[in-house]
Amino acid sequence: MGSRKGGSTAASGATRASGALKAGRAAAVIGSSVVMAIAGVSWYEYGQLTDGVTQSDALDVSSKNAPPKLDNSINILLIGLDSRKANDGSDLPGWFVQDELHAGSSSDVGGYNTNSLIMLHIPADPNQKVEAVSVPRDDYVETYNGDGTEQGMHKIKEAYGLAKAKAMPGLEAQGLKGAALEQASRDVGRAATLTTVQKFLNVHIDHFAEVNLIGFYDVAKAIGPVTVCLNHATSDPAMEGQGSGANFHAGLNVLQTPAQALSFVRQRHNLTNTDGNGNGGDFARTHRQQAYITSAETQLKKNGMLSDLGKLQGLIDTVKKDVVIDNRWNLLDFAQQAPNLSGGKVTFNTLPITGQPNVYIPGEGTQSVNTVSVGQVQRTVAYLFRDAPSSSSSSSSSSSTPKAGSSSQAAAHAVVDVLNGGAKPGSAGTELDALVSDGYTRGHTGNHAAVGATKVYYGAGAESAAGQIAGKLSTQATASAAIAAGTVEVVLGPDFTSPSSGSGSGSGSGSGVGASPSSTPHLVFQGSAVNGGGDGIPCVD
């Protein structure tokens, strides 16, 4: 991750529960505090421990529209709410928002956007690593209300606020007001976020935790100084809410105060790591959040937080004040899974986008958004969150991997998706039309991150079709657990020159021999993965 200036900490060996549940800017740190606290004092009476923790039934609403639960793993959505208001809806003091949080000059800034969304997957098998994926806040997707009704195309961060605002008049008509109105309307927003994320990722959510900016500030204060590492020196002066106040040198930096911690995880200006179009600030900020989570977990272990009941009690009390969790979450039961999160098994990745165009959104005007390939995102998450190789994939793998079919062969049954990864514009549509004419079932077209040459991937049961198509394109077919069963994905590279036809579009009859299903599939992420490694302090830009 880059060179470091200064010393290094000892290998943490720390419980990854904190690293897992602190994921994201605010929700991550709060959540990890919950798990680490409980794991450290599992004998603590459950009622006393959870007394005062705000619980929400939003998951009960969204579960009616959730994908099925496939195994005994646990998926937790960590929500960082970019609100400058307390949980009861009251405004935070203006001086605090501006001078300590460096988050604008008003508690109305930020609204109710979920600027941090991190899905954490904890496998049932303790020998498998924990995966966490960050969902970029500006992903332009279909958003939903909690009951599954469509809101329209919006940035994914807006699902919460849109649902909350729509519910307010009806809740007020029921006589709700003050803190009760705030919590009821937030529950509507939470349900919308849960439903939207479940549909976008095609993942069943078992639990969630939510916290806002003040929650992060309070937990950072309870944790104390945290050492982080940067690849480059950086400065982001706070000016009218536009800067985070960050001012750090290359190498190891100690975040002495919660204000410094917040400036570190919120910086998105004056950064060197962009997506190539100068728009990488949000992604670099996401990587900062992931790095802080990992480093803070290391610090919690180092400063004896788990073995000092006084320190631990303070952390628990902070969690009670700031966090909101679902009403199904038995925290003591969850503590039993702490061993699954230990030993450096947590890896953070940021899900990919396909572009950042300006889009006109009715009622909101023209905005820059992140376009995404929903199919690509879902296949990536499905692969990362798999708990074991599919038996069907294993059985379909044999030494006699299918060879390409000739023009006289009937098309084997498969749904075919074609993505453009560097071919001429329009190639994906043309190629898909040709393959449908050959007898394959039409899937979808879209864009893909650039590839060096045309690739063919297939899911369980689609070996024959993949071999035929790979032969037409003079390439190989590779099995991938990230591709849906019965599906072939074609990624067109710059070498693609002509559409498929009955006589084949490749220069020859290529073998179509694929790699083993155990091979790592073609996965695309937004930037590098973040993992603490040996000393628990990753270096980021």
Side-chain angles (χ1 to χ4, degrees), residues 329-388:
W329 204 343
N330 185 315
L331 299 179
L332 285 180
D333 286 348
F334 182 73
Q336 301 302 314
Q337 298 197 335
N340 294 25
L341 308 176
S342 62
K345 296 179 182 177
V346 181
T347 299
F348 294 91
N349 277 296
T350 304
L351 293 175
I353 67 170
T354 59
Q356 291 186 303
N358 290 322
V359 172
Y360 176 75
I361 304 176
E364 300 178 34
T366 300
Q367 299 183 18
S368 173
V369 303
N370 299 332
T371 54
V372 297
S373 166
V374 176
Q376 180 190 46
V377 167
Q378 291 183 354
R379 287 189 293 272
T380 297
V381 172
Y383 178 79
L384 288 178
F385 287 10
R386 75 200 189 288
D387 273 10

Side-chain angles (χ1 to χ4, degrees), residues 417-434:
D417 298 335
V418 182
L419 307 177
N420 194 326
K424 294 180 179 179
S427 294
T430 302
E431 175 64 9
L432 183 56
D433 288 344

Side-chain angles (χ1 to χ4, degrees), residues 203-243:
V203 167
H204 180 96
I205 297 176
D206 298 289
H207 298 295
F208 78 89
E210 173 199 299
V211 73
N212 60 13
L213 290 177
I214 187 62
F216 177 92
Y217 184 94
D218 287 342
V219 171
K221 184 176 180 180
I223 292 174
V226 170
T227 300
V228 295
C229 181
L230 289 173
N231 292 322
H232 311 282
T234 184
S235 176
D236 185 27
M239 297 179 293
E240 298 181 358
Q242 295 303 307

Side-chain angles (χ1 to χ4, degrees), residues 202-461:
N202 193 31
V203 167
H204 180 96
I205 297 176
D206 298 289
H207 298 295
F208 78 89
E210 173 199 299
V211 73
N212 60 13
L213 290 177
I214 187 62
F216 177 92
Y217 184 94
D218 287 342
V219 171
K221 184 176 180 180
I223 292 174
V226 170
T227 300
V228 295
C229 181
L230 289 173
N231 292 322
H232 311 282
T234 184
S235 176
D236 185 27
M239 297 179 293
E240 298 181 358
Q242 295 303 307
S244 73
N247 184 18
F248 305 111
H249 57 263
L252 297 177
N253 291 260
V254 179
L255 307 178
Q256 296 284 1
T257 67
Q260 283 184 317
L262 197 58
S263 69
F264 178 81
V265 299
R266 294 192 70 248
Q267 183 181 359
R268 64 189 183 99
H269 302 102
N270 305 328
L271 295 168
T272 58
N273 183 24
T274 70
D275 64 354
N277 298 314
N279 298 316
D282 277 348
F283 305 120
R285 178 163 65 176
T286 295
H287 299 150
R288 296 286 194 89
Q289 296 164 8
Q290 296 166 347
Y292 179 86
I293 293 162
T294 305
S295 296
E297 177 273 332
T298 298
Q299 188 61 40
L300 279 169
K301 177 68 174 181
K302 184 179 179 181
N303 67 15
M305 182 71 75
L306 296 182
S307 59
D308 187 317
L309 188 57
K311 293 180 180 179
L312 193 56
Q313 184 63 61
L315 196 58
I316 295 172
D317 290 342
T318 298
V319 169
K320 288 181 179 180
K321 179 167 66 74
D322 294 311
V323 74
V324 178
I325 62 174
D326 65 87
N327 57 1
R328 304 178 181 183
W329 204 343
N330 185 315
L331 299 179
L332 285 180
D333 286 348
F334 182 73
Q336 301 302 314
Q337 298 197 335
N340 294 25
L341 308 176
S342 62
K345 296 179 182 177
V346 181
T347 299
F348 294 91
N349 277 296
T350 304
L351 293 175
I353 67 170
T354 59
Q356 291 186 303
N358 290 322
V359 172
Y360 176 75
I361 304 176
E364 300 178 34
T366 300
Q367 299 183 18
S368 173
V369 303
N370 299 332
T371 54
V372 297
S373 166
V374 176
Q376 180 190 46
V377 167
Q378 291 183 354
R379 287 189 293 272
T380 297
V381 172
Y383 178 79
L384 288 178
F385 287 10
R386 75 200 189 288
D387 273 10
S390 167
S391 58
S392 60
S393 294
S394 299
S395 62
S396 66
S397 168
S398 67
S399 57
S400 57
T401 306
K403 294 186 177 182
S406 65
S407 59
S408 61
Q409 282 185 297
H413 177 69
V415 175
V416 181
D417 298 335
V418 182
L419 307 177
N420 194 326
K424 294 180 179 179
S427 294
T430 302
E431 175 64 9
L432 183 56
D433 288 344
L435 289 171
V436 170
S437 296
D438 285 346
Y440 302 100
T441 301
R442 182 181 296 277
H444 70 270
T445 61
N447 292 320
H448 191 282
V451 294
T454 296
K455 309 287 185 183
V456 175
Y457 303 97
Y458 64 91

Side-chain angles (χ1 to χ4, degrees), residues 9 19 92 95 97 154 202 206 274 290 376 384 402 421 467 512-513 523:
T9 65
L92 301 176
W95 65 268
V97 173
H154 298 280
N202 193 31
D206 298 289
T274 70
Q290 296 166 347
Q376 180 190 46
L384 288 178
V513 176
L523 300 179

